[in-house]
Amino acid sequence: MLHFSLAALFRIDADTVLITSTATIFGPAFIAPVARALGNRELMVSGITTGLMGFSLGTYLGLALSWLLRP
């Protein structure tokens, strides 16, 4: 809900919101079918980039959390 609320606040178009939402939930592998279904293949690069950034950020946040919680 936060993603869609901020997108509405900043007036981001619906195709971009759907692509970035798919990238954050399912990862970059699902961007191409969604972009094809939307008929907007220009957003594939930004969607794949968002998904890969989410993977890398999640990896480092997970490593930091495990480092903080170790005995």
Side-chain angles (χ1 to χ4, degrees):
M1 289 305 293
L2 180 64
H3 180 76
F4 292 113
S5 300
L6 289 174
L9 179 69
F10 291 112
R11 296 189 175 118
I12 299 173
D13 63 308
D15 287 352
T16 304
V17 173
L18 287 173
I19 289 287
T20 55
S21 176
T22 302
T24 56
I25 294 171
F26 298 111
F30 289 89
I31 297 304
V34 172
R36 195 174 310 122
L38 290 173
N40 194 350
R41 297 181 70 131
E42 296 173 354
L43 293 175
M44 284 180 50
V45 173
S46 64
I48 291 172
T49 304
T50 303
L52 291 175
M53 286 176 26
F55 279 165
S56 63
L57 183 65
T59 299
Y60 286 111
L61 286 175
L63 288 173
L65 185 63
S66 70
W67 183 77
L68 289 172
L69 294 177
R70 71 177 181 196

